[in-house]
Amino acid sequence: MNGLIDYSGHVSARLPGNVGILIQCFDDSRASLQPDRLLIVDMEGNLIDGPEKTATPREVFIHTNIMKVRPDIQAIGHFHPEIATMFTFVQNQRLVPVKNHAARWANGIPVHPDPGHVNSPKSGAALAVTLGNCHAALIRAHGAVLCAESVPALLTDSVHFEENAQMLYRASALGPVTSLSLQEMEAFLGNFNRDAHVKKLWKYFLLRAVDTGIVPDDWPAAIEDGD
C-alpha cells in the first residue's frame, strides 16, 4: 500500500530452528498476496513446501546467503526505491543519514557494485560480503536490501529508509547538506525505544490495511495475541 514493493520485490522471514525462510513465490502479484501462497524455502534456496506450480523468487539467494552469515537477522526485504537508488549512480553524493530515524544506519549504507540480479549462490554471497555487519545496502542502479530483527521492524526500517532518501534529495536542491554526525546518531539511539516505535508503526499500517479491506478484521487481534 505504501509503494515500497510494487510489481517487484520480496520479503522473507527466518523460520524457527533456522530450517529455512518464509517468502512469497515468483509469479504471484505483490498486490494480492495471501498467506496460503507463501513458500517455505531452505537455506540453499530449495523449495520445501508451498502451493503447487509455484517457484521461488529468482533472487531468493539475497535472503538465504545473508541469513547464513548474519544470525542476528530475522527478516530481509529487497525492493527498488526510486529515490534511494538514484544515489548509487550520482557522483559525489552518497546516501547518508539526515533524518533522525536514519540513525539506524549509523554504521553505513554500502553500495554493491554489480547491478545485475542476485540470482545465484555466488552473487548472493557477494552481496552478503558487501552488506557486512550493516543493516542496509544499496545495489548499484538496481535497488536496496534491508535487514531487521522482525517483519514489523523491517516494515518500519523500509518506511524510514525511503523517507531519509527523499529528504536528502530535496534538501540537496536547497544547498549543501549537513548529515547527522556519529555523535548525534549515537545520542538519538541511546534515548530511542525501538520496540515501542516498531509497534507504533506496525499498528498504524496494519489498521490502514484493515480499513481498506486488504487485511481481514480479525487479523489485528490475532497479531496482538502473538499468533
Side-chain angles (χ1 to χ4, degrees):
M1 284 177 57
N2 221 43
L4 295 169
I5 294 179
D6 41 36
Y7 59 85
S8 187
H10 20 85
V11 171
S12 68
R14 190 192 297 269
L15 290 168
N18 204 35
V19 297
I21 62 173
L22 198 66
I23 196 168
Q24 81 259 31
C25 67
F26 172 77
D27 295 310
D28 285 4
S29 167
R30 277 67 173 157
S32 57
L33 182 66
Q34 295 296 316
D36 60 357
R37 298 292 299 172
L38 293 174
L39 310 178
I40 296 176
V41 178
D42 69 19
M43 285 300 185
E44 303 305 320
N46 301 307
L47 179 63
I48 297 176
D49 193 17
E52 292 185 7
K53 298 181 180 180
T54 55
T56 62
R58 291 173 181 166
E59 293 185 302
V60 67
F61 302 104
I62 291 176
H63 307 266
T64 56
N65 280 272
I66 291 175
M67 286 197 182
K68 280 181 184 180
V69 298
R70 289 286 300 277
D72 58 307
I73 291 172
Q74 303 300 316
I76 296 174
H78 171 53
F79 55 106
H80 309 93
E82 182 176 308
I83 303 299
T85 304
M86 287 197 308
F87 286 96
T88 67
F89 49 77
V90 175
Q91 295 184 14
N92 302 319
Q93 180 64 73
R94 296 290 296 271
L95 181 58
V96 294
V98 291
K99 192 175 184 291
N100 57 357
H101 287 293
R104 166 73 172 164
W105 303 288
N107 61 345
I109 305 171
V111 177
H112 190 59
D114 183 355
H117 287 107
V118 186
N119 55 9
S120 70
K122 182 178 179 180
S123 57
L127 176 59
V129 170
T130 296
L131 178 68
N133 65 348
C134 298
H135 302 301
L138 288 166
I139 304 174
R140 173 172 161 74
H142 180 158
V145 175
L146 273 70
C147 309
E149 69 274 22
S150 66
V151 172
L154 179 65
L155 172 63
T156 300
D157 287 349
S158 300
V159 169
H160 288 317
F161 191 77
E162 184 65 354
E163 282 179 347
N164 181 73
Q166 291 176 357
M167 187 169 290
L168 177 56
Y169 171 65
R170 292 169 179 164
S172 298
L174 299 176
V177 175
T178 302
S179 61
L180 291 173
S181 68
L182 183 58
Q183 292 76 15
E184 288 174 322
M185 289 188 282
E186 289 176 346
F188 177 81
L189 294 173
N191 293 292
F192 179 55
N193 187 331
R194 179 167 169 84
D195 289 342
H197 185 68
V198 167
K199 289 179 181 178
K200 175 184 176 181
L201 268 72
W202 182 253
K203 182 178 181 180
Y204 169 74
F205 286 108
L206 178 61
L207 293 182
R208 274 184 57 194
V210 170
D211 288 343
T212 61
I214 294 176
V215 167
D217 292 345
D218 58 347
W219 278 21
I223 291 172
E224 289 291 332
D225 293 337
D227 294 341

